[in-house]
Amino acid sequence: IRPQYGRRAETLKYTGIDIAIVFDISRSMLVEDIAPNRLEASRQLVQTLLGRLQGHRVGLVPFAGVSYVQSPLTVDQGAIRMYLDQLDPLELSRRGAGGTNLAMAIKQGTRVLTGERDKGEDDNRSRVLLLITDGHDIPCEKGKAAREAAEAARAQGIQIMAVGVGTLSG
């Protein structure tokens, strides 16, 4: 076959795992009980994880008192790394979104993993919600709501993995 040039549209099909990283950026993540602080230690953990997730789709959902989709599912590891570097707990507190709302974050991560546009070609992909939090500032009623959100996610076939950072208190 001779060399060819030009453009041709091609649909790429990815197989693998879909992972929603639900990342706590509440002010308590700035505590320095682990070096250099909880937030940076968590970022380093996710950076290491990303190095092992080539070919898998990853989404990023930062949260504190509110949550939002920073990145929908993507295989673009560079974009996820850039967004991770930009996460700032003080930005959400300036907007009055302090505290830790795990239920909202889990629901947002579930939507990332189950949304129509994010299912990809294969609806049977493994789906994981990776929850990274220090577990600080969660009142009892919000803890119950978080458990209910986690149960709803599991009912949709989502595996939930939680990573606790720092010294949990309260």
Side-chain angles (χ1 to χ4, degrees):
I1 295 179
R2 295 184 203 176
Q4 297 182 14
Y5 60 92
R7 295 182 185 185
R8 175 175 52 135
E10 185 175 339
T11 302
L12 299 176
K13 294 181 182 180
Y14 293 103
T15 59
I17 302 170
D18 287 346
I19 302 171
I21 300 172
V22 180
F23 197 104
D24 186 347
I25 59 168
S26 61
R27 289 178 60 108
S28 62
M29 291 292 282
L30 296 173
V31 172
E32 297 176 350
D33 56 348
I34 53 177
N37 61 37
R38 294 173 183 180
L39 179 67
E40 289 304 318
S42 298
R43 274 189 187 139
Q44 291 169 8
L45 174 75
V46 172
Q47 296 284 4
T48 300
L49 176 66
L50 287 173
R52 298 177 181 171
L53 292 176
Q54 297 303 317
H56 301 290
R57 297 190 309 171
V58 178
L60 181 62
V61 179
F63 74 97
V66 297
S67 64
Y68 60 96
V69 177
Q70 181 75 47
S71 173
L73 293 172
T74 181
V75 293
D76 185 354
Q77 303 289 328
I80 299 294
R81 290 176 194 277
M82 179 187 71
Y83 291 135
L84 272 173
D85 289 341
Q86 295 174 353
L87 295 179
D88 181 7
L90 300 178
E91 179 63 30
L92 279 182
S93 16
R94 281 190 285 272
R95 295 180 189 178
T100 303
N101 191 335
L102 279 177
M104 181 186 285
I106 292 169
K107 288 176 185 176
Q108 192 77 49
T110 300
R111 281 193 287 277
V112 165
L113 292 168
T114 60
E116 283 301 316
R117 67 180 252 205
D118 290 323
K119 285 187 179 174
E121 292 294 318
D122 185 2
D123 192 21
N124 295 321
R125 296 170 66 92
S126 293
R127 297 178 293 183
V128 175
L129 189 147
L130 177 61
L131 176 63
I132 299 174
T133 183
D134 62 359
H136 189 76
D137 237 3
I138 304 170
C140 189
E141 67 276 0
K142 286 193 177 182
K144 181 180 179 201
R147 283 189 296 281
E148 290 169 358
E151 294 289 327
R154 284 188 200 103
Q156 294 183 60
I158 296 171
Q159 297 176 40
I160 297 179
M161 298 175 66
V163 177
V165 293
T167 305
L168 300 179
S169 60

